Each structure stands twice: as C-alpha cells, then as structure tokens.
Amino acid sequence: MQTETYILLHRMIDAATTEHDVKIVLRRFHEIVDTKRDGTTKEDLFDAAWAFCCLGGLYTSLGEPLLAEWSYLESIRLFDKNDMATNAATLSVSLAKLLAAQGRLVDAETQLKQNVEYLMKQWGINSNQVYSAEEELKHFQRTGEIINACQHVWCRACDVDDYGVGFDAEGR
Ligand SMILES: [Zn+2]
C-alpha cells in the first residue's frame, strides 16, 4: 500500500467514535487482512501484519480481549514470517502486558519467552537486546510484573543492587 493509505487508515481509527464508524473501520482492516495474509510478497505480508496489529488495538479498545489476542498473535506470526523479528518481539511484549492484565500470567510468560527468541533471531544471543529481554522475563517470573526491568538498579526479587545499598534499606 502507499504511505498515504497507511496514514488515511490510521486517521480512520482516530476518527471513529460511534459504533457504526468503528464497524466500518473494522471491516476495512479485515478486508486488508483477507486479501494480504496469504500473499507471497514482503509488502503483502507487511500489510497483513500491520493490519492485524491495528485490529488488535481496535479490539482492545472495544473490550474484546480474545479477538485482540488473536489479532496480535496473527500479527506476530506474520511479522516473524516476513523476517521482521524485532516487530514480532515488540508485539509479544504488548500482548504479554494485555494477558498479564487479565491475570493470565502463564500465557504472558510464554509471550515474554517468545520476545527473547525473536530478539535472539534478530540480534544474536550475546546482544544487549536479548540480555534486556531475559531480565524482563526473570523479573516477571519472580513478581508477575512487566516493568522494563533492564533499567532497574535495585530489585530485591532479582537480587539487583547496583548501588550496593543492600536489601535491608527498604523498611528503614
Ligand atoms: Zn527485578
């Protein structure tokens, strides 16, 4: 699709305020998905992955978590298939947050593990990106929270104490 088309479609999402409008926007994105998802070109796969990602956001805002989850999973799959593992990784974290908010911690953990896998694919096992993703996974496994853990300098759960203040300071 042309750049203008992406912009126009994004504007449609922003402008849709009534149920009627939202249904039209949903139909438009489903049309894109239907015509592009089995495409053979990188452009088709990107369009389908992008449209699925937009559908995920739309269904989230409509309070349809299962349809949002399905859309994000399809988007992740197609981005990965299209050699865009970084996009797949970013979306895996978004989906993990969505699942964690529903109390589905095991499924959220699966997505955070996927995030590590996709980043390994893109950047290699010894990259900072993979290290950060592993920190996030570890912190989540210990606390059930997603916090951008690579930036934490003090965390009892992860035994991170970069300032050397110790773990007794908390209650003082
Ligand atoms: Zn931590």
Side-chain angles (χ1 to χ4, degrees), residues 81-161:
K81 189 177 171 186
N82 208 23
D83 300 321
M84 299 174 83
T86 308
N87 296 50
T90 305
L91 272 182
S92 297
V93 177
S94 299
L95 180 56
K97 286 177 183 167
L98 208 69
L99 295 167
Q102 296 167 40
R104 293 172 56 191
L105 300 186
V106 175
D107 295 325
E109 183 182 346
T110 302
Q111 289 308 314
L112 290 180
K113 285 178 181 167
Q114 288 291 318
N115 178 41
V116 173
E117 293 290 318
Y118 289 133
L119 290 173
M120 270 183 193
K121 209 172 187 179
Q122 184 79 37
W123 303 105
I125 197 160
N126 289 317
S127 61
N128 284 332
Q129 288 87 343
V130 170
Y131 174 76
S132 297
E134 285 173 339
E135 285 292 294
E136 192 67 57
L137 176 62
K138 185 172 78 174
H139 183 87
F140 183 79
Q141 285 168 333
R142 294 176 183 197
T143 66
E145 291 171 344
I146 299 171
I147 59 154
N148 206 4
C150 65
Q151 290 177 3
H152 68 0
V153 290
W154 189 92
C155 177
R156 185 189 293 272
C158 298
D159 201 19
V160 172
D161 180 20

